[in-house]
Amino acid sequence: MGGPGDPPEGTPEGGPVGGEDEYRSVVFDESFVRAARLQESSARERMTDHAPAVRRRPPLRRGLTRQALILVVLILVAFGTAIYMGVRHPYGTDETQQPAEPLRMTVIPLSPQGRVPGAPDAETLFAHSPAAQYEVGAEGIPLPAARSTAHFSDSQVVTALTTAKDYLVRSSLYPEVLDSSEVRPARALLDPGQLDQFDQSVDHPAADGRHAPTGWLVRFDPTRAELADPRIRVQGNLTATETDPATLEVTADHTFVYALRPTGAPAGAQASLFTVRRQLTFRFDRDDLRLHQTQLVVSYVQAGPLSCAEDAADHLHPLLAGQTAKAGGPAGTNPFATDSATALCGTLSTAAEPKL
């Protein structure tokens, strides 16, 4: 008698001993069945559809579908475009950025022809001077309409003009700069390539056309004068031009008029006006525009009333109400010495002074 798993008549002759099937190790799991290329039709399908006993199954789709493949391609194209636009400026870039040019400066004292006019009230002085119609503070430094150039966009031109204005405000209007207690507000806007020259000018002033702090800033001798009125009068203009495909240049021409009195004097003390005309040239490469910084390359300053006998390189030493210029003047200029080109002095016109 055969075992429970054997055929009723026993193991067929020639079959494997013990009923072992040589294909028993083959496992027909669900994935194997789904992968079969032929599929037997069910009895219901053969009855209703007259289908053949077997039919060929459609091949399985392996990998990405067409829609998924297209989506992946689009994502890759968009990502590549974003990277390309991020590293390439639409207006082109200058692969060879020029080093910052040193500042060339000229500071000309303007000596009064007589006694400096004064009045107890600063408003009276302003009202009777050429600065009567000037704006107060930064309002006197308006930005012109900005237009794109051949290689710079509207926004880049605006950035250059705004940075130049910021430098003028910080170097000509900030009280802590005017009283010589700070230089950092203006320094922070300079191209790193000019910082050594700026620092040397402040630490070791020299009337050599390169290292006069008054070429960078308006600052008064704190032992001599202080503001009698914080409302500084200003008038001038800014102009932006493209000098080459990699450089924007902004020229500034502004007149600043300060009401001053002796340091420590009471509020009712006589005040006088002090005028500074600053003609500055700013230069910007693309890094400067991106970082909101500038290169100050030319500074031409006229300031008075000053005495030509006093050095105006480190500080401006104003002549105040009732004072007159000291006799004498700067030493002669040696035209063969390239570092001695600042022995200049002018006369302050009476038309520039208040008519009291």
Side-chain angles (χ1 to χ4, degrees), residues 27-59:
V27 179
F28 299 98
D29 58 9
E30 184 177 355
S31 62
F32 180 88
V33 174
R34 286 201 307 268
R37 301 299 301 275
L38 296 178
Q39 181 181 25
E40 182 179 5
S41 301
S42 65
R44 183 181 298 278
E45 289 174 332
R46 291 197 298 270
M47 292 175 59
T48 58
D49 298 330
H50 304 287
V54 295
R55 64 175 180 271
R56 184 175 296 276
R57 298 182 61 166

Side-chain angles (χ1 to χ4, degrees), residues 6-346:
D6 296 333
E9 288 85 12
T11 302
E13 185 178 353
V17 180
E20 293 290 341
D21 189 344
E22 61 179 317
Y23 298 105
R24 180 170 293 179
S25 62
V26 178
V27 179
F28 299 98
D29 58 9
E30 184 177 355
S31 62
F32 180 88
V33 174
R34 286 201 307 268
R37 301 299 301 275
L38 296 178
Q39 181 181 25
E40 182 179 5
S41 301
S42 65
R44 183 181 298 278
E45 289 174 332
R46 291 197 298 270
M47 292 175 59
T48 58
D49 298 330
H50 304 287
V54 295
R55 64 175 180 271
R56 184 175 296 276
R57 298 182 61 166
L60 291 176
R61 294 185 180 274
R62 298 185 181 276
L64 296 174
T65 63
R66 183 185 299 273
Q67 292 83 352
L69 183 60
I70 292 174
L71 180 60
V72 170
V73 171
L74 290 175
I75 292 174
L76 291 176
V77 170
F79 186 68
T81 301
I83 294 177
Y84 178 77
M85 294 301 292
V87 299
R88 181 181 183 276
H89 194 279
Y91 288 87
T93 57
D94 177 28
E95 297 180 356
T96 57
Q97 297 284 359
Q98 298 297 318
E101 181 179 329
L103 170 62
R104 306 185 306 278
M105 61 185 71
T106 303
V107 180
I108 301 179
L110 300 178
S111 178
Q113 300 180 45
R115 291 187 179 277
V116 177
D121 182 14
E123 284 292 342
T124 300
L125 290 170
F126 284 123
H128 291 83
S129 78
Q133 303 303 318
Y134 284 14
E135 298 289 344
V136 175
E139 295 298 320
I141 313 175
L143 295 180
R147 296 181 180 275
S148 62
T149 65
H151 299 90
F152 292 90
S153 66
D154 290 345
S155 63
Q156 288 175 312
V157 174
V158 169
T159 297
L161 291 167
T162 302
T163 304
K165 175 177 178 175
D166 288 347
Y167 186 89
L168 285 166
V169 170
R170 295 187 186 193
S171 64
S172 310
L173 301 177
Y174 274 25
E176 64 268 32
V177 172
L178 298 177
D179 67 12
S180 301
S181 62
E182 275 289 358
V183 298
R184 288 179 295 180
R187 185 184 187 275
L189 291 176
L190 291 174
D191 184 286
Q194 290 191 312
L195 294 181
D196 285 344
Q197 184 188 7
F198 180 90
D199 292 341
Q200 186 175 350
S201 300
V202 174
D203 297 336
H204 306 286
D208 59 0
R210 290 289 188 273
H211 301 97
T214 49
W216 301 93
L217 314 160
V218 175
R219 64 179 199 165
F220 302 112
D221 179 353
T223 66
R224 178 174 296 188
E226 64 183 16
L227 289 176
D229 187 339
R231 295 169 297 175
I232 300 161
R233 288 358 186 230
V234 187
Q235 180 171 284
N237 58 75
L238 294 166
T239 305
T241 57
E242 178 183 318
T243 57
D244 60 58
T247 309
L248 273 177
E249 198 167 88
V250 173
T251 56
D253 186 353
H254 292 81
T255 301
F256 300 84
V257 185
Y258 307 84
L260 303 177
R261 65 187 173 201
T263 299
Q270 289 275 306
S272 59
L273 296 186
F274 189 88
T275 303
V276 180
R277 182 176 180 183
R278 305 184 76 193
Q279 295 169 284
L280 308 180
T281 300
F282 301 91
R283 191 165 293 165
F284 300 84
D285 59 28
R286 298 189 188 279
D287 282 344
D288 292 328
L289 294 172
R290 178 172 55 85
L291 298 173
H292 191 63
Q293 63 191 21
T294 185
Q295 303 170 41
L296 179 58
V297 294
V298 177
S299 174
Y300 183 83
V301 179
Q302 301 174 71
L306 290 172
S307 176
C308 293
E310 294 191 83
D311 182 13
D314 189 9
H315 295 89
L316 299 175
H317 308 280
L319 294 174
L320 303 174
Q323 295 180 334
T324 58
K326 295 180 181 179
T333 299
N334 179 1
F336 295 96
T338 58
D339 62 347
S340 179
T342 57
L344 301 171
C345 188

